[in-house]
Amino acid sequence: MNEDNSREWRLNTVLPVSYYVKNSANIFGLENPDILGFGTEGPGSRRLVVIDLKVSELYLKQIIEYLIKYKIDYHVVILDATETKKNIDTLLYLLKEIESFGLSRKNEPILAVGGGVLLDIVGLAANLYRRGVPYICVPTTLLGLVDASVGAKTSINFENRRNRLGSYYPPIAAYIDKSFLETLEPIEISSGIGEILKMAVVKDLALFEILKSHGRTLYESKFLDCEYADEVINRSVKGMIDELQENLWEKNLKRLVDFGHSFSPIPEMRSLVDDNVPTLTHGQAVTLDVIFSSVISFIRGKLSSQGVVDIIKVAREVGLPTHHPYFADSNILMEALNDTIKHRNGDQNLPIPIEIGTSLFVNDLTYDEIKEAAQSMQAFHDEVN
Ligand SMILES: NC(=O)c1ccc[n+]([C@@H]2O[C@H](COP(=O)([O-])OP(=O)(O)OC[C@H]3O[C@@H](n4cnc5c(N)ncnc54)[C@H](O)[C@@H]3O)[C@@H](O)[C@H]2O)c1
């Protein structure tokens, strides 16, 4: 037989993505059917519930009552989903649990209930298991509500690097129920506001104005007793969705939502293991990066000094840090930028605000500017009351 070795093929296909993000008050209230909108229902149906340890202590009883009412068999996996345990061991543990549950491929969506760390791990496990099984996100932190639930990304940390292993794998649905915030520690409320502040500064002046006038009330009331709470959450989610809709697979590496994430990953990770500096939550690290990047803009004659002052004041009002030893260390900041450049395929692509609510991308930041910005950020911190 005469083989034709010169032949070649190209397979072109598209992967449509559609997922649902919905405000759903009291998601595990006995009369709320939302969570059962996907997968099989009624006798014989099953769900695997993967829940954060602290969240399980507060809400598991209610979740079980809910599943019993709807005659759903369940198995619960409790993960101590902290940033230091967002690793391959936890991922493998969860995958083994999924295997021993014998999860059906399409009609038993995993219920992921917890903060951003838990959602990231469950999302990755769901993506890997049988090359992808559905999962539903129920975020229980503010950061989870406004960012991780919508983000469509999954990850674990690896070799001391944040989110080094991961994938794009959105849940089939994410339900936003702010009543979970009632039990959240104040530091985690601030942390979530850090991601909201990012969105406000880079692309939403109206959101920034709300934070400026009502940030303190939002923070103190945990978004539960402030007339602007829903608007702030909705604007943040919508802002995120608008960015992702156009660029979910990050083909374009100029991403506004990377604001606050250019210099922060290394300081955040390193702060978890360095006893000599204050530990940073994700939202705290993002906030410091927001301020630092805004100071770069100021040095370049774009953002006014009043703009920087306003950002710092908002951060302070909601209990966020406005300085940190790592953000005064130009070598660490340069190291962080170099890692970011690899992530952005050789470009800096640094979003910086021109004025609050509008931005541009910078690709020529120098070490000297980083040094100057670090000093200037410290000076702003010292001078702003
Ligand atoms: N996938 C994405 O698009 C995306 C986007 C942003 C952030 N993230 C990831 O999210 C993580 C940060 O998430 P986070 O800020 O939610 O932190 P987290 O998941 O660590 O939760 C913070 C703390 O709050 C506790 N907690 C959670 N819900 C609670 C509740 N209702 N009441 C009381 N305590 C509660 C947790 O036990 C934990 O101690 C980071 O790892 C980050 O990489 C992912």
Side-chain angles (χ1 to χ4, degrees):
M1 208 168 84
N2 197 4
E3 288 241 348
D4 179 0
N5 285 325
S6 67
R7 281 186 299 179
E8 62 178 47
W9 293 266
R10 178 184 293 272
L11 191 152
N12 280 316
T13 183
V14 285
L15 178 60
V17 172
S18 167
Y19 60 100
Y20 192 56
V21 182
K22 183 183 178 194
N23 282 301
S24 185
N26 201 8
I27 184 73
F28 291 110
L30 292 181
E31 303 309 321
N32 188 336
D34 281 348
I35 207 96
L36 302 174
F38 300 87
T40 48
E41 277 185 64
S45 55
R46 310 184 316 154
R47 291 295 185 274
L48 185 70
V49 180
V50 188
I51 187 166
D52 171 82
L53 174 61
K54 213 176 284 175
V55 178
S56 73
E57 286 161 6
L58 296 160
Y59 299 100
L60 187 56
K61 192 165 162 275
Q62 186 191 352
I63 295 171
I64 288 175
E65 275 170 18
Y66 180 90
L67 295 171
I68 288 173
K69 173 178 171 181
Y70 288 97
K71 301 189 174 23
I72 311 248
D73 291 340
Y74 58 86
H75 176 66
V76 178
V77 180
I78 296 174
L79 296 184
D80 187 11
T82 57
E83 197 65 54
T84 42
K85 292 189 183 161
K86 186 180 167 180
N87 58 27
I88 197 113
D89 295 334
T90 308
L91 176 72
L92 289 176
Y93 168 75
L94 175 56
L95 285 166
K96 283 180 191 162
E97 289 284 328
I98 297 174
E99 174 63 18
S100 63
F101 181 72
L103 192 82
S104 167
R105 189 163 170 195
K106 303 263 189 208
N107 56 9
E108 293 179 340
I110 298 170
L111 300 183
V113 188
V117 170
L118 181 121
L119 301 181
D120 275 2
I121 301 170
V122 179
L124 185 52
N127 187 192
L128 292 174
Y129 192 71
R130 295 185 192 278
R131 302 193 186 96
V133 292
Y135 71 110
I136 291 175
C137 279
V138 181
T140 61
T141 59
L142 179 59
L143 192 142
L145 258 61
V146 298
D147 197 328
S149 64
V150 195
K153 291 202 263 194
T154 81
S155 63
I156 53 168
N157 303 327
F158 180 65
E159 296 289 309
N160 263 334
R161 297 297 193 195
R162 268 179 52 72
N163 298 336
R164 194 57 111 210
L165 306 183
S167 61
Y168 301 93
Y169 193 66
I172 48 174
Y175 292 107
I176 295 176
D177 174 3
K178 70 183 164 80
S179 67
F180 286 111
L181 303 183
E182 191 177 350
T183 51
L184 207 57
E185 295 291 339
I187 187 176
E188 300 299 342
I189 298 286
S190 324
S191 190
I193 300 178
E195 289 279 13
I196 296 171
L197 178 64
K198 164 201 85 177
M199 197 61 94
V201 172
V202 83
K203 61 172 280 191
D204 190 342
L205 176 61
L207 181 57
F208 186 80
E209 293 297 340
I210 299 175
L211 290 181
K212 205 166 135 187
S213 308
H214 307 285
R216 186 87 197 162
T217 316
L218 286 160
Y219 168 62
E220 285 178 344
S221 70
K222 298 187 174 180
F223 282 67
L224 295 174
D225 190 20
C226 173
E227 59 178 306
Y228 294 94
D230 290 341
E231 185 177 351
V232 167
I233 291 172
N234 289 337
R235 286 192 88 95
S236 306
V237 170
K238 175 75 169 50
M240 189 76 184
I241 285 178
D242 287 348
E243 291 300 311
L244 298 180
Q245 180 86 42
E246 299 302 317
N247 190 25
L248 188 77
W249 312 111
E250 302 186 14
K251 283 208 158 52
N252 181 358
L253 291 173
K254 286 188 170 161
R255 302 172 71 239
L256 288 180
V257 282
D258 279 343
F259 186 50
H261 295 72
S262 303
F263 301 95
S264 60
I266 286 185
E268 180 185 345
M269 283 305 283
R270 215 163 276 176
S271 80
L272 301 178
V273 291
D274 182 351
D275 293 339
N276 298 315
V277 301
T279 301
L280 293 170
T281 66
H282 183 62
Q284 288 177 332
V286 167
T287 301
L288 290 161
D289 186 326
V290 163
I291 297 169
F292 184 70
S293 301
S294 300
V295 171
I296 291 170
S297 177
F298 163 71
I299 286 174
R300 290 195 162 204
K302 303 245 174 323
L303 185 65
S304 65
S305 78
Q306 188 58 48
V308 179
V309 169
D310 285 348
I311 294 167
I312 288 176
K313 281 187 170 166
V314 169
R316 293 233 175 110
E317 284 288 293
V318 301
L320 283 163
T322 57
H323 83 127
H324 187 274
Y326 287 163
F327 278 81
D329 184 331
S330 41
N331 291 328
I332 287 183
L333 295 168
M334 190 70 218
E335 183 189 341
L337 178 60
N338 283 334
D339 195 52
T340 289
I341 289 172
K342 285 192 189 143
H343 195 59
R344 298 182 190 160
N345 199 38
D347 293 318
Q348 294 182 345
N349 288 344
L350 299 175
I352 62 165
I354 308 169
E355 50 196 58
I356 290 172
T358 49
S359 313
L360 56 74
F361 290 91
V362 162
N363 259 309
D364 57 355
L365 190 73
T366 63
Y367 176 73
D368 285 346
E369 275 181 291
I370 288 179
K371 214 166 162 181
E372 189 184 346
Q375 283 164 359
S376 179
M377 178 167 164
Q378 186 65 44
F380 271 109
H381 167 79
D382 294 342
E383 282 158 25
V384 175
N385 296 311

